[in-house]
Amino acid sequence: MKFQDLDWNQMWQEGRKGKSWRGRKKEDWDKRAPSFAKRNMESLYAQRFLALLQPEPTWAALDFGAGPGTLALPLAKIVRQVTAADFSPAMLKILNQEAATVGTNNIRTVQASWEDDWQQLDIEPHDLVIASRSLSVKNLEAALTKLNNWATKRVVISDRVGTGPFDPDLFAAVGRPLAPGPDYIYTVNLLYQMEIHASVNFIDLEQKRIFTNRAEAMESCRWMLHQINPEEEKGLARYVDQRLESLPNATVALTRRTPIRWAVISWHK
Ligand SMILES: C[S@@+](CC[C@H](N)C(=O)[O-])C[C@H]1O[C@@H](n2cnc3c(N)ncnc32)[C@H](O)[C@@H]1O
């Protein structure tokens, strides 16, 4: 077998077929928007992503798949202007509300999907283009080409390492198979075949998280289990109770065995 014969885009597409979560629709992301925002705003993930990004104050940035503004909002405090694009109106609504609350007025939101004609939507090339945890596309090569074409200075994307935020122990506890699909290594190799030599850094998140009570800890896991049934609910409770410890200040800590790791892949134009 020769390395050159491997088609990473096709292998990525094949790998996604057996995935536990197929590409969610706009309506699914709309429904998830409030809980996603609650979990991710002001997260350590965003702080660490921005630390790796090192943006220039003069830059204009395009954040594709921006969600509720996990990165667009803090980034807007650092750079000249941010265009935040996402196909979910509910995500963009939260982003706009939050921007108004904190008095940020240099973010333009655009409802757009990966497949849309970005030119028609007046999305111009930007100095910096980012796509954080949002490469949920049918054709990875087409998406990477688009990001590359829309950046004039730098592209920074993040992708799952292994199971990423999904905890294999939780899936085992509820008796569901976990098939996370292709991770970052496909993206890096595909970029290489596109003659883009990217740097890879990693973000590791804490395995221990603090909650006000058990119910909140249970709630924090539920997003991983779409349409949970009563039997699975018992498995979820067992999983939480095995990992929960009470802290002296009347809060609780939930510790997972496997770390959450994200790959941050970046290149200069
Ligand atoms: C996991 S969230 C990431 C949000 C944010 N970038 C972050 O890192 O917190 C993925 C986002 O991608 C958006 N998304 C998914 N598929 C999309 C598509 N085909 N076109 C545009 N946005 C999409 C979702 O609406 C969601 O806001």
Side-chain angles (χ1 to χ4, degrees):
M1 188 188 278
K2 284 202 219 93
F3 167 77
Q4 288 81 354
D5 294 335
L6 297 176
D7 182 336
W8 287 94
N9 200 35
Q10 196 185 338
M11 282 170 23
W12 188 82
Q13 282 169 357
E14 295 287 328
R16 282 175 70 84
K17 284 187 191 152
K19 204 171 167 262
S20 306
W21 300 263
R22 298 288 170 78
R24 289 176 196 263
K25 293 197 292 285
K26 189 165 68 180
E27 295 73 25
D28 299 321
W29 282 107
D30 277 344
K31 257 189 247 152
R32 277 187 76 190
S35 61
F36 185 90
K38 196 163 166 243
R39 255 196 343 273
N40 287 284
M41 299 293 230
E42 293 165 26
S43 62
L44 275 176
Y45 167 82
Q47 285 175 31
R48 291 178 185 166
F49 187 104
L50 289 172
L52 290 170
L53 195 62
Q54 297 194 323
E56 302 272 337
T58 54
W59 283 3
L62 168 63
D63 180 0
F64 205 87
T70 319
L71 290 156
L73 287 160
L75 189 57
K77 294 196 184 122
I78 309 170
V79 300
R80 180 169 55 82
Q81 189 265 329
V82 173
T83 304
D86 201 288
F87 73 168
S88 156
M91 289 282 189
L92 295 178
K93 191 173 167 198
I94 295 176
L95 195 162
N96 282 322
Q97 278 166 350
E98 192 56 29
T101 306
V102 297
T104 295
N105 55 14
N106 59 344
I107 302 180
R108 173 193 169 214
T109 51
V110 185
Q111 196 192 331
S113 86
W114 284 102
E115 298 78 25
D116 284 338
D117 182 339
W118 293 1
Q119 238 159 3
Q120 271 201 341
L121 293 168
D122 280 336
I123 305 178
E124 313 240 308
H126 288 60
D127 301 297
L128 169 70
V129 174
I130 67 171
S132 156
R133 309 186 287 194
S134 64
L135 282 167
S136 176
V137 290
K138 291 202 180 76
N139 186 332
L140 182 60
E141 185 171 5
L144 294 172
T145 303
K146 223 162 174 175
L147 294 175
N148 192 47
N149 288 346
W150 253 262
T152 58
K153 297 202 168 75
R154 201 158 175 230
V155 183
V156 185
I157 61 183
S158 67
D159 214 344
R160 253 184 321 100
V161 178
T163 57
F166 302 102
D167 187 349
D169 290 336
L170 173 58
F171 281 75
V174 301
R176 278 196 197 186
L178 171 59
D183 75 351
Y184 84 103
I185 205 65
Y186 289 69
T187 313
V188 174
N189 281 290
L190 176 56
L191 284 167
Y192 177 85
Q193 286 184 331
M194 293 164 66
E195 298 183 358
I196 295 174
H197 302 153
S199 305
V200 185
N201 291 93
F202 295 97
I203 293 176
D204 287 309
L205 297 178
E206 276 64 17
Q207 282 155 258
K208 182 185 266 196
R209 289 172 61 207
I210 312 293
F211 300 97
T212 40
N213 52 40
R214 177 180 179 271
E216 201 183 86
M218 289 271 291
E219 211 43 52
S220 77
C221 303
R222 230 178 269 280
W223 69 270
M224 288 186 240
L225 304 163
H226 189 50
Q227 290 177 335
I228 184 167
N229 66 37
E231 205 45 47
E232 291 175 326
E233 192 73 43
K234 286 186 204 155
L236 168 62
R238 268 196 309 276
Y239 164 90
V240 168
D241 291 337
Q242 278 166 4
R243 286 161 184 80
L244 208 65
E245 62 179 301
S246 300
L247 300 177
N249 57 356
T251 57
V252 292
L254 184 67
T255 307
R256 54 183 271 170
R257 194 172 51 86
T258 52
I260 300 178
R261 184 160 243 225
W262 292 96
V264 178
I265 305 166
S266 62
W267 64 96
H268 292 275
K269 288 296 301 280

